Structure formats: C-alpha cells, structure tokens
Amino acid sequence: MPRSRLSCLFSLALCCSGSLIAQISVLTYQYDNTRAGANFNEAILTKSNVNANQFGKLFSYPVDGYLYGQPLYVPSVNIPGKGMHNVVYVATEHDSVYAFDADSNAGPNSEPLWHVSFINPGAGITTVPYGDTGCSQIVPEIGISGTPVIDLKSGTIYMVAMTKEAAGGLFNYVHRLHALDISTGAEKPGSPVVIQATYSGTGEGSTTLVFNPKNYKQRPGLLLLNGTVYTTWSSHCDIGRYHGWLMGYDATTLQQTAVYNNTPDGNEGSFWTGGAAPAVDQAGEIYLVAGNGTFDYANGGTDLGESYIKLAGSGGLAVDDYFTPFNFNDLNQRDVDVGSAGVALLGDEAGSPAHPHLMVGAGKEGRVYLLDRDNMGKWQSGSDSQIVQSLPLSIGGLFGNPAYFNKSIYLCGAGDNLKAFSVVNAHMSTNPTSRSPEAFDFPGCLPTISANGAANGIAWILEGSGTLHAYDASNLGNELYHSNQNANRDALGAYVKFTVPMVANGKVYAGSQSALNVYGELPPVATVGVTNAASGSQNAAAPGGIISIFGAGLAQGTASASTFPLPKSLAGSSVTVNGTTAPLYYASPTQVNAQIPFEAAPGAANISVISGGAVVASANVLIGSVGPGIFTLAPGRAAALNQDYSVNGPDRPAAPGSAVLIYLTSLGAVDHPVATGAAAGSNPLSRVVSQVTASIGGADATVLFSGLAPGFAGLYQVNLLVPQMPPGEYPVQISTGGAVSNVASVSIQ
C-alpha cells in the first residue's frame, strides 16, 4: 500500500486517538459557541493537585499591550524552521498578535514563535489613543479588543485591529479584519479588509445608516459559523449616535456577506457584553444581547435595544425571536442595561419537556433571566412572567458571561460573591447552592470551568486585585488555590477588567496588562500516568507496542520524530523501561509517546522520564505479552483504510466482501523480529505469532493478515474481510492472546 497514505493516517491516529486524547484545541471565546465556559476535557488538573504546593505559575511571556481578549490554543502546530509546538495565541491593545510555545519558555521558546504588528508609527499608523474617543472604558490605547477566532481546518486566526492613520494632515480611524496563518502569522490571501457597512431601516422616514469607524470598537469576541466570520460592534461610553452592528464576512475571501443593525430607526443598542462573543445553538441560530437603546419592536417597529435577540444564522440575519424585559425603559434611564453580559446556552439535561432548550443571561440590574430558546418571550407589560424564570436582585451587576456545568449556573456580579445556582427540570434555584468565601469589587469576575467529563470540576476566575482563583465547582465555599498564596512565585500582575482565564491540557493561561501568564502543575512530578497509546487503557502495554506517558515537566519543549529508526531523545528528554532506553515518537512537557522495547520482559516494570539529565517522573506498570489497542482518528472511530487505501469514514465506507485495514499497537511477538525503533519491512512481512480474531458489528470477520505495518515502528496492521451486512456504522474489536482491544467504529457501505 502507499506508505504516504499510511504515514498520514498514523500521524492522525497518534494525534487524535487515545495517545493525545487530552490534547484539545481552544479556538473561540469560552471554548465553544454555546459560550457556556466549560472545558470537559481537562484530565491533568484535578481538585487534588490544584493547591499552592503542587500548582503555581510556571512562566510568563511579556507582551506590548493590555490583553483584553481571551488566549486561544492549538496543539501540534508546525512552525516553519522551529518544528512542532503546542501554541497559545494572544492579541493586544497595541495591535499585536503573538504565537507562543504553550508549554515552555526555555531556550529558543523565550521568544515568540511569531509576532505580527499592525501599526507603523514611522508611516503615521498607530493605535488609537483612548482620549480620541472621549471615553476611558479601554485604556491607554485601542487596538485589538475582541477575542480572535481560529478556523482549524484552514489554519487561520481572525481578529479585528483598529488603527489611527495620518493622511494629508488629517487622521483616519480604520478597523480591519485580518486573517493570519496560524503557523507563520502571514496574512492569508485577501487579508486584511477594511470594515465598512451601510444599513437601511424600514420605518417611515428611515434613512440609510453608514458605519462610522471612529464611533465604534470591536468589543465582543469574534464568531465563526458555517464559513462566516462575524464581528460585533459597540460604542465608546454611549457617546453620540450609534447602533448595534453585526457583520458577516466570508472566511475564505473576507468579502462581506451580511449586515444586521438592531436600531435602524432609532439609536443606541450597542453589542458589547463585557467582551463575550455571540452564542450559537445547534440549529445555527445566533444570540446577541443589546445594551441601552431604542425599543419599539413590540409595536411593529424595527428597533431592538435593551433586548436578547435571536437571529437566523443563514439567509440574511433575520430576527427569529427576542426577549425584552418588561422594565426596559427604566433599565435604559438608569443605565443598568442587560447588554453588559452575554448568554450561556445550557445543555438539554437542564431542561424539561416543556422547555428543553434553555439559555441564561443577566445584566447590570442583577436580575437573572432563564429563557426558552424556542420561545424567548418577546415583551409584555408589567412583568416577565412569560419567560421560564426571572430572578430579581439575585446577583450584583453582571459583566462578561455566565458559565454552566453539571446542572449548575455560575454567576459573579460586581460587589458580589461567585455563586452557583442549580437548574433542574427547567427550574433555577432561587438561592445559590454555594458561593465563594469572598465577594469581588467591580466588575466582579468571569468564571470558566475545567473538568474531566463530570468529574473534577474546577471554577477559575481572575479578579481586580490581580489574582487567579480556583474553586471546587461542586462547592464554591472550598477554595482550592489563589495566586497570592505564594505571591513571590505566582503573582499575576495588573488585572485587565472583564477578562477570563483559559484552561487547556494541564495549564491555565491568564492575561494581564503586560504579560501572558502560564500556570500548571509544578515540577518535578513524582508519578505519571502511562497508557496504551491507541486505546488509552492502563496496564495494556506490550513489548514492541507504543505507550503514552502523561504528566508535567516531562520535556523542555515539543518535538516529534521524523525518521526511522526512532530517536532515543526528543526535546531534551528520554524514557527508560527497566533501565533500557526506549525510542520516542513524541515529547512535550505534558506528554511523551514511546515504544516499549521488544526486549522488555512481561511483568512488573518501571518507566522513568529523564529530562535535563535528571529523572523527573516515574511509574510502575504491568507489561503483558499482548495488549491490543485500536488507534482512533476521532473519539470512537477506528484508524482504518479501505481496500483502495482511502481513509474509512461515513463519506468513504467499506463495501461488504472487501478488505478493511485496521491499525493497532501492542499485538506482541512476530515471526520475523524487527529491532526496537526500526521500521518494519515488507519482504518478508512480520506476522503476529498469536492467533488474532476479529468481529465487525458482532459478526466474525475473517482475518486476512495481522502483523507489523511496513515502514513503521510499533504499528500493527490487521486486514479484515468485511462481512455481508447492511450499510451503517459498526463496532470493530480485535482479540489476541486472550486480550481484547478497545471498541472502535468503521463505516460499511
């Protein structure tokens, strides 16, 4: 078979299967478009190791301006000339974008992997001094405010930069949408584009509105939806005439595709939400929250200020539904608008048969709104009794976003505690089920949750004193950690309001006014987790098979093997199995993938990780004669090729009676031995000694071949004859030597 096709498949399997199951990407504000603020894939940070003795600040990177936007994260990015890196991306108010190594600032990683600036003072292009706007909400300059968004498929990061540009003795104020390559920082074709827009109202006497760039800042996080990048706009301190704008741009061409204005026949109603990005449900509907502004929609008008707005995500951004508080006029007059915070979409487990799809929001008034996304309630006079729940004076004024995890809603208002409210059967508790020991001055705090599924839930916040806090999400009265417990080591630095930390793959990334700070488990790590690289199972290692080692401080950087035989050292680290050095596929500070030497005898074994010449971690494991594990390209899908060597999947199913090639590890001894770390040959083939059996969809599948995959080390291949069965997705399982593999799925034609 073509080695290039298998090489690509194996690379995908190692990156996407159990070997790297903890490696998530954070591509948008608060993890995904629900904006619920929960990362369910955090297996390293737990309630037991997040404490001042084991957890703290690992390092920081200086930046040239305030970090208002949330950091973003992509694992295994190939940086030209610098190799593979897990990368964290940040954008500053000084109009800079940085890509940093996410795991270590040692050696060459002390400098950015790349850095792009959108200003050129020598040519009269600068950031916008805050005084030019007459507003001090964002100081001392305005550049990039909204959290960028990343399209992983095209390898593009999008952001909006505001500049002040000299021209003929005058100054122009310009917003540009940029699309940068995540590997290099280079502008993609067609990038950047200048933000311009017009919008015509429909009411009597309506005029065409023209977007005036000086009057706006791009404050909320960007949204990527179905190939469109959406930018959302707010005013400077409610000064003058302005509106709420939402603009869509084709993610490939950057051509403008849609414009929505929520007060075309009125005034105000900007979208700022404390930086929170618009939310999107599974149907592709977009949810926005408007601040103080004109409202006449209930009387047949076009203006939706002071409202929660649901827009069709396709076909022109039509208004599909809305909710406006009964006391919108009072909220406007007292400047306690609902637009100070975004919304979080709740999982269906929180709903009821009558209200299965919920979302939660709140504003400066401190009233919490639990809304039915299918019937938001519109407006009624006198009360909000038409919505699911309206809880007045439940929290301090909210800025930013709620969070949702495990049937609890987390809210942290100004001058108030971080509070958790239960929500069961579409009913939110009227009193908090737990709260943080302390209250937080303006602007309160913005929670984000890390968890491993439903376990080890931790609520993280930044607060105005410049402190990172971690709380037990199931009992906020239990504070696990804060960065002032060991201020000399863990100090955050000057706080930026409305900001939220980001948690990914064992680390917490928190911005300040001058740096990106990285927190995690403190080295050295006494013990590590060791799993079968394909199945993720413990005690499923076998001689010649591939294992994954998880921990912290395991390597001085990130590197991948590129040739055979496999190297014995990567990123300054090596691994020994009972004293024998093992070949390495991959090494990073949090994970190492290694091949168990064929010479290793079954039984108890010690596995040690050595970095910088010292043992930094070790584990005692049980090595079996076999431990079959099927690699997966995505959770639950087998790494498999069809008979024509196309990758098996719903779009390329295997035909009954044809062969499907399944890729595994740890099938044990072969009849033509191969040196540890060396690539297996094709003449002769190295066949598994033990009998191998398989099933697809519970039906026996004839094994045509089982042995080492030619051209690779530690990778096994089992060729199966697909039984006669109807089209569909079927589980495949492989057994040998009395051991059974994990279950993965294949597509049958």
Side-chain angles (χ1 to χ4, degrees):
M1 66 166 293
R3 186 184 185 282
S4 60
R5 183 68 60 85
L6 178 53
S7 177
C8 178
L9 180 75
F10 187 40
S11 296
L12 282 171
L14 277 177
C15 291
C16 303
S17 68
S19 65
L20 290 175
I21 196 69
Q23 289 282 320
I24 68 158
S25 297
V26 180
L27 310 177
T28 190
Y29 179 84
Q30 284 286 49
Y31 307 108
D32 59 40
N33 286 349
T34 68
R35 313 305 178 193
N39 169 11
F40 294 95
N41 297 285
E42 180 49 58
I44 297 173
L45 298 179
T46 68
K47 296 176 187 179
S48 61
N49 63 26
V50 175
N51 56 67
N53 294 324
Q54 297 172 267
F55 177 89
K57 186 175 176 179
L58 302 176
F59 55 91
S60 63
Y61 290 111
V63 295
D64 60 12
Y66 283 30
L67 294 174
Y68 272 88
Q70 173 198 293
L72 302 176
Y73 178 100
V74 179
S76 301
V77 180
N78 187 6
I79 306 296
K82 300 180 180 181
M84 299 291 289
H85 291 262
N86 298 329
V87 183
V88 59
Y89 300 88
V90 292
T92 76
E93 291 293 349
H94 199 61
D95 273 332
S96 282
V97 183
Y98 292 88
F100 294 114
D101 185 277
D103 299 315
S104 169
N105 70 338
N109 291 340
S110 62
E111 299 295 324
L113 300 172
W114 55 257
H115 168 218
V116 173
S117 174
F118 300 131
I119 63 173
N120 184 355
I125 302 173
T126 67
T127 58
V128 178
Y130 81 93
D132 286 16
T133 67
C135 175
S136 59
Q137 286 181 339
I138 292 182
V139 295
E141 58 186 341
I142 301 174
I144 303 172
S145 302
T147 298
V149 69
I150 294 175
D151 180 4
L152 198 56
K153 184 178 296 184
S154 67
T156 308
I157 182 171
Y158 303 88
M159 73 291 302
V160 173
M162 186 178 189
T163 53
K164 179 181 180 180
E165 304 180 5
L170 301 175
F171 290 102
N172 294 322
Y173 297 86
V174 184
H175 297 277
R176 290 183 176 88
L177 174 62
H178 294 264
L180 307 182
D181 188 303
I182 64 171
S183 296
T184 65
E187 299 273 6
K188 289 294 188 83
S191 176
V193 294
V194 174
I195 301 292
Q196 299 173 333
T198 59
Y199 194 85
S200 298
T202 58
E204 185 177 348
S206 295
T207 60
T208 297
L209 304 176
V210 178
F211 179 80
N212 183 338
K214 184 179 180 181
N215 292 352
Y216 294 93
K217 58 179 175 282
Q218 201 287 301
R219 185 64 186 95
L222 273 63
L223 165 66
L224 178 64
L225 175 64
N226 296 331
T228 301
V229 178
Y230 291 94
T231 65
T232 320
W233 300 86
S234 65
S235 66
H236 302 289
C237 288
D238 298 342
I239 295 173
R241 186 170 181 81
Y242 62 89
H243 309 271
W245 296 81
L246 177 70
M247 306 177 195
Y249 293 83
D250 184 283
T252 301
T253 66
L254 297 192
Q255 296 302 300
Q256 191 177 87
T257 58
V259 176
Y260 170 71
N261 186 299
N262 68 326
T263 55
D265 297 318
N267 191 27
E268 302 181 331
S270 74
F271 302 124
W272 74 283
T273 57
V280 179
D281 65 18
Q282 290 184 338
E285 300 279 337
I286 300 172
Y287 297 86
L288 300 169
V289 190
N292 299 323
T294 309
F295 172 75
D296 62 6
Y297 210 85
N299 299 320
T302 59
D303 295 338
L304 274 169
E306 201 70 73
S307 298
Y308 293 82
I309 305 169
K310 178 179 180 178
L311 300 177
S314 59
L317 298 176
V319 176
D320 281 348
D321 203 355
Y322 73 94
F323 164 67
T324 305
F326 76 96
N327 58 339
F328 73 87
N329 192 46
D330 178 62
L331 300 181
N332 277 338
Q333 292 177 355
R334 295 192 293 124
D335 187 26
V336 287
D337 55 289
V338 295
S340 60
V343 296
L345 308 189
L346 310 189
D348 290 355
E349 69 278 357
S352 68
H355 305 290
H357 305 129
L358 301 173
M359 74 179 186
V360 64
K364 298 177 191 174
E365 186 190 25
R367 184 189 299 264
V368 181
Y369 303 97
L370 189 63
L371 301 173
D372 185 332
R373 303 198 305 266
D374 302 324
N375 181 12
M376 292 177 62
K378 299 181 173 56
W379 175 82
Q380 74 172 20
S381 176
S383 75
D384 293 327
S385 61
Q386 82 280 21
I387 68 173
V388 180
Q389 266 182 296
S390 174
L391 304 178
L393 303 177
S394 296
I395 59 171
L398 190 67
F399 298 85
N401 226 54
Y404 170 75
F405 167 71
N406 230 14
K407 295 186 179 180
S408 288
I409 295 168
Y410 298 84
L411 300 149
C412 184
D416 201 356
N417 310 70
L418 172 62
K419 295 176 178 177
F421 296 82
S422 66
V423 54
V424 179
N425 198 29
H427 180 80
M428 184 175 165
S429 61
T430 55
N431 295 308
T433 54
S434 68
R435 65 177 73 202
S436 62
E438 64 275 271
F440 303 102
D441 294 336
F442 176 86
C445 63
L446 207 167
T448 195
I449 311 295
S450 68
N452 187 3
N456 275 309
I458 300 175
W460 304 86
I461 66 158
L462 302 173
E463 56 107 352
S465 66
T467 307
L468 171 68
H469 294 262
Y471 301 92
D472 181 343
S474 63
N475 176 14
L476 297 177
N478 178 20
E479 184 170 18
L480 305 173
Y481 166 87
H482 66 77
S483 57
N484 287 335
Q485 290 171 324
N486 191 336
N488 290 334
R489 181 190 69 196
D490 295 349
L492 173 72
Y495 166 76
V496 179
K497 64 182 179 179
F498 312 141
T499 54
V500 61
M502 181 270 288
V503 186
N505 305 315
K507 292 187 174 61
V508 180
Y509 301 89
S512 71
Q513 294 180 13
S514 59
L516 173 67
N517 303 280
V518 183
Y519 295 80
E521 277 194 284
L522 298 170
V525 178
T527 59
V528 290
V530 178
T531 68
N532 181 297
S535 66
S537 299
Q538 295 181 339
N539 293 322
I546 307 172
I547 58 170
S548 291
I549 304 168
F550 296 100
L554 302 181
Q556 299 173 17
T558 301
S560 298
S562 58
T563 60
F564 295 99
L566 295 172
K568 298 293 183 71
S569 176
L570 283 174
S573 291
S574 60
V575 171
T576 62
V577 180
N578 282 342
T580 300
T581 303
L584 302 183
Y585 260 108
Y586 171 84
S588 77
T590 57
Q591 180 173 337
V592 176
N593 291 346
Q595 184 187 18
I596 297 285
F598 279 109
E599 300 79 8
N606 175 264
I607 295 178
S608 295
V609 180
I610 301 165
S611 181
V615 175
V616 295
S618 66
N620 294 320
V621 302
L622 186 65
I623 296 177
S625 59
V626 295
I630 300 175
F631 282 102
T632 53
L633 299 182
R637 176 163 294 282
L641 294 179
N642 298 317
Q643 187 167 301
D644 62 359
Y645 302 125
S646 61
V647 177
N648 180 271
D651 56 339
R652 291 289 181 90
S658 69
V660 62
L661 289 59
I662 311 295
Y663 292 94
L664 312 86
T665 193
S666 299
L667 292 187
V670 293
D671 58 1
H672 292 287
V674 176
T676 298
S682 58
N683 188 17
L685 292 169
S686 295
R687 300 176 184 272
V688 173
V689 173
S690 300
Q691 182 182 10
V692 176
T693 60
S695 65
I696 298 178
D700 291 342
T702 300
V703 176
L704 304 174
F705 169 79
S706 60
L708 291 173
F712 292 89
L715 180 67
Y716 290 75
Q717 173 181 332
V718 175
N719 299 353
L720 305 178
L721 189 66
V722 178
Q724 296 296 321
M725 53 183 55
E729 299 292 308
Y730 291 92
V732 60
Q733 194 166 39
I734 294 173
S735 303
T736 186
V740 181
S741 75
N742 55 310
V743 176
S745 66
V746 292
S747 299
I748 305 301
Q749 189 178 85

